[in-house]
Amino acid sequence: MFQVAAHPTSFDSHKHGHGHRSSHSSSQHYHQQPAVSSSVQLPRTLARPPFADISREALTAASPELANVPSEYIRRRLRDTAPQMMAGIASLAPSHLPSTLPRSHLPSSLSIPIRSQSSHSTQPSYPTHILAIAPSKPSSSHSADALTIVPTHALVLASQCALLPRFPASSSANPGSPQIQLPVIPVSLPSPAAFQLLHPFLYTHNLGALLASLLPMPQGFVQAPGFGGDHVKHVLGSGQKLHELSVYLCQVSHSLSALTSHAAHIKELWQDCVALGIYDVELWDAMDLAWEVVLGAMNLAARQ
């Protein structure tokens, strides 16, 4: 099983050039202290790991024809093909794709029927592997023997996750084939549940959808036309806007316990990103935004 670390090292924004903390100090007066509940103590900031480029070996194993193509170009092109890849995942017959598999009886591969596609649907690009994800530290909420099953495309992971090793070769489904044979890859991550939120983002890079999966936010905020990295940076630089989002979150969450749960989800996503070696600047900014908002809401709730 591929085991990856759960704890980040410190991030040097001056050295690596994609930190933002020094550029939005105006936000800090709303969130001076880390929020604390009776059972959870949270860090003031989510430390970013040092930058590391993706593995060319893993990338070449996923797609040999891209061996000499710049990684940034590959990532941009993959965003254009995200609808086809998501359609390929959706085409797997759910009745033959379990949500979990027992670690003690994990097959080396799965044969999964492919659902028939409408002639007007997006031509699917079928997944190449199936991840069987175990928690790094099993808890009462997740059985140590139950592995979370996630069909994926090796190229999507290899182009964005610097700390994943190369995956074994996978045969593509033949056109018109009624089923596909996918290798099963055991992986250990801090939070299998958080990876299920992260995985769609690696295809779509939809920051609004990611934020909405982490926290209740005003619909008009995350669905604003053109919502993206620049918008996130702007809000991070505005103490007033952060405060408004924290007030909203505090009002709709109703309890410090609910806010603590939101914070735990963000922290788990952060740990998975570190463990996988994901260095998408906009993703890290979005996590920082969610973290600032939830800490502010917890501090507001604690004073009520």
Side-chain angles (χ1 to χ4, degrees):
M1 177 172 291
F2 299 141
Q3 175 95 28
V4 283
H7 301 291
T9 56
S10 60
F11 175 79
D12 186 341
S13 62
H14 298 288
K15 180 178 180 181
H16 299 287
H18 34 115
H20 66 263
R21 304 195 191 285
S22 62
S23 65
H24 61 93
S25 58
S26 61
S27 67
Q28 304 302 321
H29 69 279
Y30 284 114
H31 311 276
Q32 286 294 335
Q33 299 297 326
V36 180
S37 74
S38 60
S39 60
V40 177
Q41 182 152 0
L42 303 174
R44 173 60 191 84
T45 58
L46 302 179
R48 300 189 185 191
F51 173 79
D53 204 356
I54 60 170
S55 164
R56 299 304 303 188
E57 180 185 10
L59 187 65
T60 301
S63 186
E65 67 274 16
L66 298 177
N68 298 315
V69 178
S71 56
E72 186 56 37
Y73 177 80
I74 294 172
R75 286 189 285 269
R76 288 200 304 270
R77 293 295 298 164
L78 283 174
R79 296 191 189 191
D80 296 335
T81 60
Q84 292 95 320
M85 291 187 288
M86 299 294 283
I89 292 175
S91 70
L92 301 184
S95 60
H96 289 75
L97 184 66
S99 58
T100 62
L101 284 173
R103 185 198 301 259
S104 54
H105 296 88
L106 192 67
S108 59
S109 65
L110 284 176
S111 182
I112 305 172
I114 297 172
R115 294 188 292 183
S116 60
Q117 298 291 312
S118 165
S119 59
H120 300 289
S121 64
T122 300
Q123 180 60 38
S125 173
Y126 297 115
T128 60
H129 296 78
I130 289 178
L131 301 182
I133 309 174
S136 303
K137 295 181 179 180
S139 64
S140 58
S141 62
H142 197 296
S143 168
D145 190 52
L147 306 187
T148 300
I149 299 305
V150 180
T152 192
H153 295 75
L155 184 57
V156 170
L157 298 183
S159 64
Q160 299 178 83
C161 303
L163 299 183
L164 275 182
R166 60 178 293 175
F167 284 3
S170 173
S171 58
S172 302
N174 297 320
S177 173
Q179 61 185 18
I180 184 173
Q181 189 83 14
L182 299 177
V184 176
I185 311 298
V187 177
S188 176
L189 287 174
S191 174
F195 182 78
Q196 291 180 292
L197 301 181
L198 174 64
H199 190 242
F201 175 83
L202 296 178
Y203 287 81
T204 66
H205 292 264
N206 187 326
L207 291 174
L210 180 70
L211 284 168
S213 71
L214 292 172
L215 295 174
M217 285 196 166
Q219 188 175 30
F221 175 71
V222 293
Q223 295 183 0
F227 184 90
D230 289 343
H231 195 172
V232 169
K233 276 188 170 294
H234 174 70
V235 176
L236 277 169
S238 170
Q240 183 59 40
K241 292 184 181 297
L242 287 172
H243 180 64
E244 291 171 359
L245 290 173
S246 292
V247 169
Y248 175 86
L249 179 61
C250 187
Q251 291 172 342
V252 300
S253 297
H254 304 301
S255 71
L256 188 56
S257 175
L259 292 169
T260 302
S261 179
H262 294 321
H265 293 155
I266 301 167
K267 185 178 180 182
E268 288 167 2
L269 178 64
W270 163 58
Q271 290 177 313
D272 277 4
C273 289
V274 171
L276 291 165
I278 298 175
Y279 302 95
D280 184 302
V281 179
E282 292 187 348
L283 170 60
W284 280 97
D285 285 347
M287 284 191 290
D288 282 344
L289 172 57
W291 194 247
E292 292 287 334
V293 170
V294 77
L295 289 191
M298 293 178 77
N299 285 328
L300 289 171
R303 291 200 294 267
Q304 292 177 356

